Amino acid sequence: GIQVEQSPPDLILQEGANSTLRCNFSDSVNNLQWFHQNPWGQLINLFYIPSGTKQNGRLSATTVATERYSLLYISSSQTTDSGVYFCAVTGTASKLTFGTGTRLQVTL
Amino acid sequence: ETGVTQTPRHLVMGMTNKKSLKCEQHLGHNAMYWYKQSAKKPLELMFVYSLEERVENNSVPSRFSPECPNSSHLFLHLHTLQPEDSALYLCASSQGHPGTFTYNEQFFGPGTRLTVL
């Protein structure tokens, strides 16, 4: 099956800083999603982005399907951005496969 | 209610108990999923239902028994669980394409945190 790797595994930022999270995948994908898991376990949809670039407020994402990676940008980080960020992909007729996540801590 | 809801949010059970987890989606989707998230492991897909038919079962032990009575409701019946089954159980839904089993954007519920004593 498809392998999904995320980097970095852990990230500590001061409030107001910017960051880039990376997701590499091993095969062609039909779908790619970015999620934020809050401290209570809820997975919140950030982007559905099999290709191209999208922006939503302080967050934006870019997927370059031909090069098998996606990037999630967080600008002007806030303490409420803390949590785990997951990338998940679906190949042709296959299940949604999650990466191991990037754990982000934003400090004051 | 909106989105995907799950009850209960927390559950503590003994190894000889029988309990059920409930999931309801209010998004008009036709596919529903159960995932397991254990500490320090990626989310693992357990079951997929498309149009109320089970289309995927990822080698899940028989002590976990799913049920999908209609496209809006999904249950996970639990019996004689082991302590290693303690985890966060997440339900999700999406608008699937049953013929090809490709899945569009998935939306998750808040999860049930299960502890098996």
Side-chain angles (χ1 to χ4, degrees), chain B residues 55-115:
Chain B
V55 297
E56 194 151 341
N57 174 350
N58 278 349
S59 304
V60 180
S62 59
R63 57 185 183 269
F64 294 91
S65 175
E67 178 190 2
C68 187
N70 55 61
S71 60
S72 299
H73 294 86
L74 185 65
F75 295 89
L76 188 63
H77 303 300
L78 316 171
H79 64 98
T80 60
L81 294 192
Q82 304 298 310
E84 60 264 30
D85 297 322
S86 298
L88 180 67
Y89 288 86
L90 291 160
C91 173
S93 72
S94 73
Q95 190 62 23
H97 299 286
T100 60
F101 303 131
T102 57
Y103 307 108
N104 289 331
E105 186 176 10
Q106 292 189 22
F107 295 84
F108 284 77
T112 295
R113 194 164 295 280
L114 173 67
T115 302

Side-chain angles (χ1 to χ4, degrees), chain A residues 30-31 33 35 37 39-43 45 47-48 86 90-96 98-100, chain B residues 9 35 37 41-43 45 56 58 88 90 100-111 113:
Chain A
N30 288 335
N31 305 321
Q33 290 185 245
F35 297 92
Q37 188 168 39
W40 298 272
Q42 172 84 58
L43 275 171
N45 289 42
F47 294 101
Y48 174 69
F86 288 103
T90 303
T92 303
S94 71
K95 62 186 180 182
L96 192 65
F98 282 77
T100 51
Chain B
R9 296 292 309 276
Y35 288 85
Q37 187 178 29
K41 280 188 172 181
L43 273 84
L45 179 66
E56 194 151 341
N58 278 349
L88 180 67
L90 291 160
T100 60
F101 303 131
T102 57
Y103 307 108
N104 289 331
E105 186 176 10
Q106 292 189 22
F107 295 84
F108 284 77
R113 194 164 295 280

Side-chain angles (χ1 to χ4, degrees), chain A residues 18 46-47 54-61 72-78 81:
Chain A
N18 303 328
L46 298 178
F47 294 101
K54 291 187 178 179
Q55 179 154 9
N56 184 2
R58 296 182 296 103
L59 303 182
S60 64
L72 177 69
Y73 305 97
I74 305 174
S75 64
S76 304
S77 57
Q78 300 175 358
D81 295 331

Side-chain angles (χ1 to χ4, degrees), chain A residues 59-76:
Chain A
L59 303 182
S60 64
T62 295
T63 297
V64 184
T66 53
E67 297 187 23
R68 300 182 184 169
Y69 72 88
S70 183
L71 302 174
L72 177 69
Y73 305 97
I74 305 174
S75 64
S76 304

